[in-house]
Amino acid sequence: MSLVAEAFVSQIAAAEPWPENATLYQQLKGEQILLSDNAASLAVQAFLQMCNLPIKVVCRANAEYMSPSGKVPFIHVGNQVVSELGPIVQFVKAKGHSLSDGLDEVQKAEMKAYMELVNNMLLTAELYLQWCDEATVGEITHARYGSPYPWPLNHILAYQKQWEVRRKMKAIGWGKKTLDQVLEDVDQCCQALSQRLGTQPYFFNKQPTELDALVFGHLYTILTTQLTSDELSEKVKNYSNLLAFCRRIEQHYFEDRGKGCLPQHGLPRGAMSAPRI
Amino acid sequence: MAAPLELSCWGGGWGLPSVHSESLVVMAYAKFSGAPLKVNVIDNTWRGSRGDVPILTTEDNIVSQPAKILNFLRKQKYNADYELSARQGADTLAYIALLEEKLLPAVLHTFWVENDNYFTVTKPWFASRIPFPLSLILPGRMSKGALNRILLTRGEPPLYHLQEVEAQIYRDAKECLNLLSHRLGTSQFFFGDMPSTLDAYVFGFLAPLYKVRFPKVQLQEHLKQLSNLCRFCDDILNSYFRHSLGAFSCVNRNQQQTDFGEASLLLDKKRSMPICRNSPSL
C-alpha cells in the first residue's frame, strides 16, 4: 500500500473501537488446513488473545481466495479486511492496542529481527516440508489442499499451488536443499529461539509481544500436527524451555479463558486427523 | 600446515575489495577470523567458473554460498564468534534473517533492476569481467534472476504493479537501515570491540550500497544520513582492507574522473596493467 493509502486506512481504523463481532477466517480445520496456514492462524489468534480482543474463528473452504493478499488468516473487523500477522498488528495498533509499546528502540529492532528469523527459517521449512518433500506431498498435502473441491479441480489446484511454492523455493535458494539440511536449519532456528528465551517467561521478560504469539503459533502447530514422520517435532522437543513456553501460553491464554478454540487438545500430541490415502 | 584456501569472487572498485555483497561477506569474515585466503578475482579469461560465486576451493572441497563457506571456515578453527555468548549468537542469526528479508530485495533492485543503475554501472562493470560472448548473456541473466527473486518473494497481491513493490521494498529497506543504526548505537562493532559474523554480513550488504556511485541513489542517500553505519563501513575498510586498497586505487581514480559511459572502456584498458590483474592475497 502507498503511504497515503496506509495513512487513510489508519485513520478509519482509529475512528472505531474494536467491535464484538470481529471474525477471523481460515480454511476448514479438520480436512483442509495445512501446517503453515494453521501456524499463521494460531499466531494471529494468540496475538488477539494477548491483546484481550474478542475474535470468532470461522472456517471457510475458500478463505485463501477471500483474503485480500491471498494468504490466511484474515480478519473482518467492522467494514475492513486485513490479512497476515504484520498488517493485523499495525491495524490493532491504530485502534489503540499494542503489546510492544513498552519496548525501547533496540528491543524493537531485536523483536523485528527475531520475527524475520521465524518467517525466514521456520515458515520456509514448513512450506518446504509440505510442498517439496515427496512423501508428505503425496500422503497429506495434495489430499488436504484439494479436499473441498470435486475432481479434477482438486488435483489442478494442488498442482498449481505446488508449482508456485517450488518456484519460490528455487528463487530463494532452497530448491537444492535436502530434507536433512532443512531439518538442520529448523534445529538452528529453535536453538536460537531457545537461547534468546533463556529462563524468562516470555521473550521480552514479563509481558508477551507479537513475537511470542508468532513463535507460539509455529511451535505449537509443529508439535501437535501429525506428519509422515516425527522428525520436525523432535527437533522442537529437544528444547525444554520452548516446550514450557508453549504450555504456558496455551494454559494462560486459551484454556484459562475458556476459549478452547485450539484445534488440538493439548500438548504433546493432539488429534489433527489427516485423511491418509 | 593448513590446506591452502582459495576464494573465487568478483573483484573490487570504488574503494572496495569486492562490489559483490556475498563475496564481500566472505572476505570480511576471513579478515576478522584470521583465515589465510588466497583471493582469485574473476576476470575475463575463461579460467574459473562464474556460477554461484563466491566459491571456496581447498584440496578436497568446493564450497559455495556464504553461509556454507563461513561454516566451513569455522570448522577449520577460523572462528570470529569465539567471544560471543549464546544469546549473541542467537541475535546474529536473527539479524542476518532481517538483512536477507528486508534489505536484500532493495539492494538487488538498486544494482540489477533499476534501469539507470543497471545499464550505466552494473552491466558494464560485470560485462568487462566476463569473457565474450558470455558477457552478452550472463549480466542479463543475473538481472532477470534478481527481478524474479524480488517479485516472487515480495510481489504478492495487493501489490500488483512493479512500482508498488518497489515502493514497499525501499520502505522496508530504510526501516531495516534505521533498525541497524539503532542497534549499533555508538559501539564500534555490533557485539563490543571485536568484529564477528554479523559485522561481516552487515558490512557485505552495506559497503557496496555506500560506496558504488549510482545515478539513482535514494537508498544510498538514506544510508549516508545514518552516520554510525557509514563510520562502521569506513572503519572496517581502513582497518582490515587498507593494504589491498592500493591495488584498486588505479581503477578508483579513473572512475571518479570520468562519467559512467566511459567507465567500461577504461576498465578494458586497465586489464593490461599487472597491478590490477594479480590481486594480492588477503
Side-chain angles (χ1 to χ4, degrees):
Chain A
M1 265 202 281
S2 68
L3 273 177
V4 172
E6 252 189 47
F8 185 62
V9 167
S10 289
Q11 281 279 45
I12 298 193
E16 301 156 356
W18 189 268
E20 285 298 319
N21 61 349
T23 34
L24 178 142
Y25 287 86
Q26 62 172 43
Q27 291 112 327
L28 303 175
K29 234 184 270 186
E31 311 89 45
Q32 188 192 16
I33 198 165
L34 294 172
L35 181 59
S36 53
D37 296 328
N38 200 21
S41 175
L42 196 55
V44 171
Q45 287 176 49
F47 174 72
L48 292 172
Q49 288 284 19
M50 289 169 184
C51 293
N52 246 323
L53 296 170
I55 192 96
K56 193 158 90 71
V57 177
V58 171
C59 298
R60 289 270 184 279
N62 59 342
E64 209 179 349
Y65 301 103
M66 284 201 278
S67 159
S69 74
K71 297 226 175 89
V72 283
F74 66 93
I75 58 173
H76 180 203
V77 175
N79 60 355
Q80 288 183 295
V81 180
V82 190
S83 67
E84 293 185 76
L85 185 64
I88 290 177
V89 170
Q90 302 280 58
F91 179 77
V92 165
K93 191 166 169 183
K95 290 225 180 268
H97 308 266
S98 172
L99 294 178
S100 52
D101 273 345
L103 303 180
D104 64 35
E105 290 299 331
V106 174
Q107 285 175 316
K108 278 194 185 147
E110 254 186 60
M111 183 182 78
K112 294 221 162 95
Y114 275 95
M115 285 176 81
E116 287 308 325
L117 179 67
V118 172
N119 280 332
N120 203 355
M121 286 212 174
L122 276 186
L123 179 62
T124 318
E126 287 166 8
L127 284 173
Y128 180 94
L129 194 61
Q130 273 166 213
W131 292 105
C132 303
D133 172 46
E134 293 303 335
T136 318
V137 167
E139 276 195 40
I140 303 182
T141 317
H142 263 216
R144 286 185 78 92
Y145 189 75
S147 60
Y149 306 107
W151 186 90
L153 195 57
N154 54 354
H155 287 301
I156 296 174
L157 289 177
Y159 276 114
Q160 190 184 42
K161 180 82 181 183
Q162 185 178 13
W163 181 77
E164 253 177 57
V165 173
R166 284 202 175 167
R167 235 174 49 150
K168 186 171 160 185
M169 292 286 142
K170 212 168 128 192
I172 58 175
W174 280 56
K176 299 208 183 101
K177 286 200 180 184
T178 63
L179 186 60
D180 287 328
Q181 286 171 331
V182 169
L183 290 171
E184 261 289 316
D185 285 341
V186 170
D187 189 46
Q188 235 189 2
C189 179
C190 289
Q191 191 183 30
L193 289 172
S194 173
Q195 282 165 351
R196 177 64 181 79
L197 183 63
T199 49
Q200 298 170 134
Y202 300 109
F203 279 93
F204 290 96
N205 210 4
K206 300 281 188 341
Q207 294 300 324
T209 56
E210 44 264 35
L211 174 61
D212 302 274
L214 183 64
V215 172
F216 170 73
H218 281 275
L219 293 185
Y220 189 87
T221 314
I222 290 177
L223 288 168
T224 54
T225 305
Q226 230 169 353
L227 293 170
T228 51
S229 77
D230 282 344
E231 290 169 322
L232 191 60
S233 56
E234 288 302 317
K235 291 287 177 195
V236 178
K237 282 187 192 158
N238 284 333
Y239 301 97
S240 56
N241 62 346
L242 294 180
L243 287 179
F245 169 78
C246 290
R247 204 164 275 134
R248 190 179 308 125
I249 295 195
E250 184 195 5
Q251 276 174 344
H252 194 81
Y253 289 101
F254 289 93
E255 281 170 21
D256 286 354
R257 308 265 178 104
K259 275 285 169 174
C261 55
L262 285 183
Q264 291 80 25
H265 306 286
L267 298 168
R269 187 61 79 171
M272 182 162 172
S273 53
R276 305 293 189 93
I277 309 174
Chain B
M1 171 118 169
L5 301 166
E6 288 191 19
L7 182 74
S8 286
C9 60
W10 294 107
W14 294 279
L16 295 170
S18 173
V19 302
H20 184 230
S21 283
E22 296 184 342
S23 309
L24 203 52
V25 168
V26 177
M27 287 160 99
Y29 183 83
K31 285 282 184 185
F32 297 158
S33 61
L37 270 193
K38 184 163 170 303
V39 175
N40 293 331
V41 169
I42 295 177
D43 54 20
N44 58 2
T45 62
W46 285 95
R47 185 165 39 108
S49 79
R50 267 147 216 85
D52 256 5
V53 165
I55 302 177
L56 184 73
T57 333
T58 64
E59 274 171 8
D60 338 295
N61 283 308
I62 297 181
V63 192
S64 64
Q65 291 182 2
K68 289 191 192 150
I69 297 178
L70 262 52
N71 267 339
F72 181 81
L73 288 175
R74 277 189 211 108
K75 289 201 183 106
Q76 303 289 317
K77 311 277 188 249
Y78 297 114
N79 189 1
D81 297 338
Y82 194 66
E83 308 264 322
L84 296 185
S85 69
R87 176 154 158 179
Q88 288 173 326
D91 283 354
T92 302
L93 269 185
Y95 277 102
I96 292 175
L98 185 70
L99 283 175
E100 285 183 0
E101 285 289 313
K102 298 281 181 189
L103 189 58
L104 181 61
V107 171
L108 284 178
H109 187 277
T110 305
F111 272 77
W112 293 99
V113 181
E114 176 68 61
N115 281 324
D116 285 346
N117 296 348
Y118 173 64
F119 286 109
T120 53
V121 179
T122 318
K123 188 169 174 192
W125 193 92
F126 278 89
S128 69
R129 281 158 176 73
I130 302 174
F132 185 86
L134 215 52
S135 59
L136 298 174
I137 308 170
L138 211 51
R141 208 188 286 171
M142 289 163 87
S143 171
K144 278 206 193 80
L147 181 61
N148 204 23
R149 181 171 174 150
I150 293 174
L151 287 179
L152 280 180
T153 50
R154 310 304 292 278
E156 282 141 3
L159 303 169
Y160 288 106
H161 297 295
L162 186 57
Q163 289 92 329
E164 290 175 14
V165 180
E166 287 169 9
Q168 180 67 39
I169 60 179
Y170 276 104
R171 278 226 311 273
D172 284 342
K174 288 175 185 166
E175 198 197 324
C176 179
L177 290 176
N178 293 343
L179 290 176
L180 286 174
S181 181
H182 281 302
R183 176 63 183 78
L184 181 63
T186 50
S187 349
Q188 198 186 4
F189 297 111
F190 277 91
F191 296 118
D193 296 328
M194 294 303 295
S196 61
T197 307
L198 181 59
D199 301 285
Y201 268 90
V202 175
F203 175 71
F205 279 82
L206 291 188
L209 200 58
Y210 177 36
K211 293 284 186 185
V212 176
R213 300 265 168 84
F214 284 120
K216 288 270 171 73
V217 286
Q218 57 159 317
L219 198 54
Q220 199 177 61
E221 292 297 317
H222 188 91
L223 176 57
K224 287 190 176 152
Q225 290 172 6
L226 299 167
S227 54
N228 61 348
L229 292 179
C230 299
R231 190 249 315 145
F232 171 80
C233 292
D234 286 327
D235 278 350
I236 293 184
L237 279 172
N238 289 332
S239 325
Y240 291 93
F241 291 104
R242 203 186 311 137
H243 299 296
S244 47
L245 282 184
F248 299 102
S249 63
C250 58
V251 181
N252 195 24
R253 228 183 300 129
N254 284 302
Q255 281 166 342
Q256 278 169 351
Q257 288 164 10
T258 59
D259 70 85
F260 300 107
E262 294 169 42
S264 56
L265 285 174
L266 279 163
L267 290 172
D268 285 334
K269 282 191 200 153
K270 289 294 155 218
R271 236 192 298 153
S272 55
M273 283 191 59
I275 198 165
C276 289
R277 176 167 272 233
N278 303 316
S279 65
S281 56
L282 289 173

